[in-house]
Each structure stands twice: as structure tokens, then as C-alpha cells.
Amino acid sequence: MKRHSPEFGRSKAAFGAVNLSLLLGSASLLIWGGLYVGKYSGRFDPDEFSEIPHGRPPKVVIAALDPSAESIKKGAKIYSQVCVACHQADGNGNPSGGIPPLAGSDWVMAEGPNRLIRIVLHGLEGPVKVNGTTWGQNQMPAQAKSADNPAGLSPEDISHVLSYVRNAWGNKAPMVSMDMVMTVSKETSTQAGYWHPDDLMKMPAMVGGGAPAGAAQTPDQLKAALKALPADQLEALLKEIKK
Ligand code: HEC
């Protein structure tokens, strides 16, 4: 019995030819695809294959996501006008000029910004230990607006720039409000000259002298935290509690 017609034999040959060109076609597509992905995927990093340009997300995106972003944005501008000459754009300071880093600094990232605000208000005279290194070759001048320094920063400016340095270069710490800066500014209105790190360390970290959240867990710790408060604030607090 004859199984194949001559026509079928011919079409089988034609099918083979189609098959070969399909194979070549898909092989070159595969190679092109590989090259394309290789060229544009950025080492297969999922963050890089995106419609947002590589690197940091654009500022508009940050502003839409985070209500603190506006303050941080203003702070970045103030930093670039005031602090950058000494502490540098990358926050790493300038070791040969005796300028300590702000990136990774405990002074910058303390839970409460009481000492940090004081440093910017009135300046600092070392020796000061930052990230395990002792500095003291230079003093930091006062940055607040005053009769002697009319071009200095307002409390609002200081709140923005400190919120920025607490959240730049991988730093992470709570925002600083203008109220905090005004509170510290009032408390220190008689301060003349630079702060010394040893004196700052005797002061509470939190603005207004409060203990960090969750710090006082036993009656003894609570007693110590209350004792650390200035007398008038302790009185005000007791009044408020008794209400
Ligand atoms: C003229 C240079 C100069 C400028 C401007 C300046 N600083 Fe400083 N800053 C210093 C020096 C020097 C020290 C270290 C002082 C010492 O060794 O006694 C310091 C120390 C500090 C410290 C404590 C130590 C540390 O590294 O964490 C902080 C915080 C700080 N500066 C923040 C600021 C901020 C914020 C600004 C801008 C508002 C600013 N500085 C502007 C020179 C400067």
C-alpha cells in the first residue's frame, strides 16, 4: 500500500526549509534579546530596570510620599549654603582641616536633638569624639542669627538643616521641629561662647530635659529622669500630672 503521495514528499521538504528559517529567526531574536537585556537591565538589579532614571528617585516622588520631605529639602539647600564648606557634600568632613564627619555621627543621630541644636546655635570647641576619633584642631563657629551674626540661621532654618543632616548619607533620626529649636534657644539665651563637649554630655539628650521614650522603666530610673529635669520644668510636670 502506497502511504505517501509525491506531493506530500515535496511539502515535507518545504516544511523542513520553513523549519530552518524559523530556527535561525528565533535564534537571532534570542541573541538580540540577550544583548538588549544585558545592555539595559543594569546587572539585573530590579531597581535599575525602571522608568525612573537611575540613582536617587526624583524629588517630586519623595515629596509625594513623605510629609517631612519638604523640610528635608529646604534643609539640603541650607546645608549646601552654610555647612558644606566645612563638613563637605558627602558629610564626611575634612580630616586634614580638623572638620569631623556628620555622616554616622552620634552627635547628629542622638534620639533627642538637645545637644545638636546647641552646637549649631552657639558653636563647639573640642576636643570632641566623633565615631571613635578625637577632634579638636578647630572650633565650629555659632550658626544662629544674632546681633553679632545677622546673616545667621533662624530657628526655622536650623530645624530644616538639622532634619536634613539627621536623614542624609544613610543617617536616620527623628525630625527636628522649629519649636524644639526655640525651646533650646530660650533655655540657652545666656550662653556666651562655644559649647564644650563634656558640658553637653551632662545635658539630657531630649529637648526640654525629658527622658527618651521608654528609657525609664523602673521607679528608680523614673526618679533619676525626674531629678534630671530643671526645677521649673519638674514643677510644671507635677502640676500637669495632678490635674
Ligand atoms: C567654619 C567651619 C564649619 C561650619 C560652617 C560648620 N561647622 Fe560643624 N563643625 C566644625 C568643626 C571644626 C567642628 C569640630 C569642633 C571641634 O573639634 O571642637 C564641628 C562640629 C560639628 C558637630 C559635632 C561633631 C560631629 O561631627 O558630629 C556637628 C553636629 C556639626 N558640626 C554640625 C554642623 C552643621 C549642621 C553646620 C551647618 C549649619 C555646621 N556644622 C557648620 C566646623 C564647621
Side-chain angles (χ1 to χ4, degrees):
M1 199 178 133
K2 209 169 146 196
R3 274 193 179 158
H4 306 296
S5 68
E7 288 77 20
F8 187 81
R10 263 205 308 279
S11 73
K12 197 177 173 192
F15 183 73
V18 167
N19 224 350
L20 183 68
S21 68
L22 245 179
L23 191 74
L24 284 175
S26 32
S28 53
L29 252 177
L30 256 175
I31 292 167
W32 174 82
L35 290 175
Y36 182 88
V37 169
K39 187 165 177 198
Y40 294 106
S41 73
R43 304 176 302 281
F44 292 95
D45 184 332
D47 289 339
E48 295 210 29
F49 203 97
S50 103
E51 288 177 16
I52 297 171
H54 290 186
R56 288 173 176 214
K59 285 180 184 142
V60 249
V61 174
I62 300 174
L65 292 177
D66 180 357
S68 304
E70 195 57 27
S71 171
I72 291 178
K73 198 171 116 189
K74 287 182 184 157
K77 190 160 174 226
I78 297 166
Y79 184 87
S80 74
Q81 292 163 343
V82 179
C83 324
V84 76
C86 293
H87 292 284
Q88 306 297 307
D90 60 6
N92 284 327
N94 175 7
S96 59
I99 313 284
L102 304 182
S105 162
D106 291 340
W107 291 97
V108 173
M109 283 190 282
E111 184 179 352
N114 188 24
R115 300 171 190 134
L116 180 60
I117 293 171
R118 285 165 193 244
I119 291 173
V120 171
L121 283 175
H122 303 111
L124 185 73
E125 184 171 45
V128 57
K129 212 166 176 188
V130 186
N131 301 351
T133 303
T134 302
W135 305 76
Q137 191 183 327
N138 270 314
Q139 293 113 351
M140 169 163 153
Q143 303 294 320
K145 187 184 270 187
S146 69
D148 295 341
N149 184 16
L153 300 174
S154 69
E156 190 184 350
D157 292 339
I158 293 176
S159 72
H160 294 321
V161 77
L162 290 183
S163 294
Y164 169 70
V165 298
R166 276 158 79 79
N167 292 282
W169 321 295
N171 285 358
K172 190 114 199 67
M175 300 287 288
V176 175
S177 68
M178 186 169 76
D179 275 357
M180 290 175 176
V181 180
M182 302 227 291
T183 300
V184 177
S185 179
K186 267 183 222 146
E187 271 175 23
T188 59
S189 57
T190 57
Q191 171 70 15
Y194 301 121
W195 293 103
H196 295 277
D198 292 349
D199 296 334
L200 287 176
M201 284 318 289
K202 287 179 201 144
M203 291 163 193
M206 305 305 280
V207 170
Q217 278 151 3
T218 67
D220 276 353
Q221 285 172 344
L222 185 59
K223 208 155 83 184
L226 288 174
K227 271 186 174 169
L229 282 178
D232 57 334
Q233 282 176 27
L234 178 61
E235 215 171 299
L237 180 66
L238 290 176
K239 247 187 228 159
E240 199 184 303
I241 293 171
K242 278 185 200 150
K243 253 192 245 166

